[in-house]
Amino acid sequence: MQEQTRIIAPVTKHVHITDNFGWHDAHLAPGMASVPIQEVLAEFEKVGFAGTAVDEAGGFISEFKTS
């Protein structure tokens, strides 16, 4: 995933940050599942990313059926 980020980071203007387990877009908070979010964000920082980042978390209840 970091290699793909390295490729697109220089031209990226906007990112949505969300976590999941890889089988569907669960919209979990960063750190709740398996996406290496810190490593991906580090790649954006290396190229001086100045765009916007939106945290798209809010799927906990629908994913785990509890609050």
Side-chain angles (χ1 to χ4, degrees), residues 1-10 12 14-20 30-31 33-50 52-54:
M1 184 172 288
Q2 287 85 342
E3 179 60 29
Q4 292 89 348
T5 304
R6 226 173 275 124
I7 294 167
I8 68 165
T12 302
H14 182 90
V15 294
H16 287 227
I17 302 168
T18 184
D19 212 343
N20 65 69
S34 60
V35 176
I37 294 169
Q38 288 187 355
E39 292 86 349
V40 169
L41 292 177
E43 292 300 327
F44 280 111
E45 285 181 25
K46 286 179 187 176
V47 298
F49 177 73
T52 57
V54 176

